[in-house]
Amino acid sequence: MILQPPSALPEGSQIIAGFADLPPKPPRSKLEPHRDLIRELLRKGQTYRDVARLFQERLGLYVAPSTLHSFVKVRAKHRKRSQFELPPMDLAATEVSPVLDRVAALKARPTASNSKPARFVFRENEPLTLTSDGGEQ
């Protein structure tokens, strides 16, 4: 192994320039050329199963719905979080109030006791005893 003096080593910009002539790597996914088509079909309400069927029928390209989902999920990671927002408070309150009213009515309703009668009687400082009348004393 021959060590070169530091002055003989190329600088960082020279190293990068040496790799500039490398060809770009082809896409790893067979779905990459159809990225815009997949996005448009999903925006129009098609399911992953529908898109897979369309690819099979029209393009002769077999792809599983789970593969489509993974393809979209990986590329969706780069979306901004601001796209996923809750609706404004005044709109949300008018839509949810009937649900809240129903929940409040259910909570206010008396509950029916369907518990079984106790088979054992507990008295402090006495052994646990079995009742003969199903817990009624």
Side-chain angles (χ1 to χ4, degrees):
M1 181 163 96
I2 301 172
L3 293 175
Q4 297 179 352
S7 61
L9 293 176
E11 291 184 27
S13 60
Q14 291 174 346
I15 293 173
I16 294 172
F19 289 108
D21 60 342
L22 289 176
K25 292 177 86 175
R28 294 179 63 189
S29 173
K30 64 183 177 181
L31 296 174
E32 194 64 44
H34 308 289
R35 183 181 203 165
D36 293 331
L37 175 62
I38 294 168
R39 180 184 296 126
E40 196 59 36
L41 288 171
L42 292 174
R43 281 185 185 163
K44 289 184 177 182
Q46 298 291 321
T47 63
Y48 291 110
R49 187 173 290 164
D50 295 337
V51 174
R53 185 178 38 78
L54 288 171
F55 274 41
Q56 176 74 29
E57 293 172 357
R58 305 235 176 129
L59 302 175
L61 179 66
Y62 174 76
V63 60
S66 60
T67 304
L68 282 165
H69 179 265
S70 298
F71 177 81
V72 171
K73 185 177 177 184
V74 165
R75 281 143 189 89
K77 287 181 181 177
H78 304 294
R79 287 188 175 175
K80 296 178 183 175
R81 292 270 180 201
S82 63
Q83 291 180 352
F84 305 103
E85 294 180 354
L86 293 173
M89 284 300 291
D90 56 348
L91 180 63
T94 58
E95 293 177 1
V96 179
S97 61
V99 175
L100 293 177
D101 293 341
R102 287 179 44 203
V103 169
L106 286 173
K107 285 183 177 180
R109 192 171 66 182
T111 58
S113 176
N114 293 338
S115 62
K116 296 179 183 177
R119 298 186 66 195
F120 295 92
V121 176
F122 174 76
R123 292 184 191 101
E124 195 172 339
N125 300 329
E126 290 185 21
L128 194 62
T129 56
L130 180 66
T131 61
S132 59
D133 56 358
E136 301 295 325
Q137 291 188 6

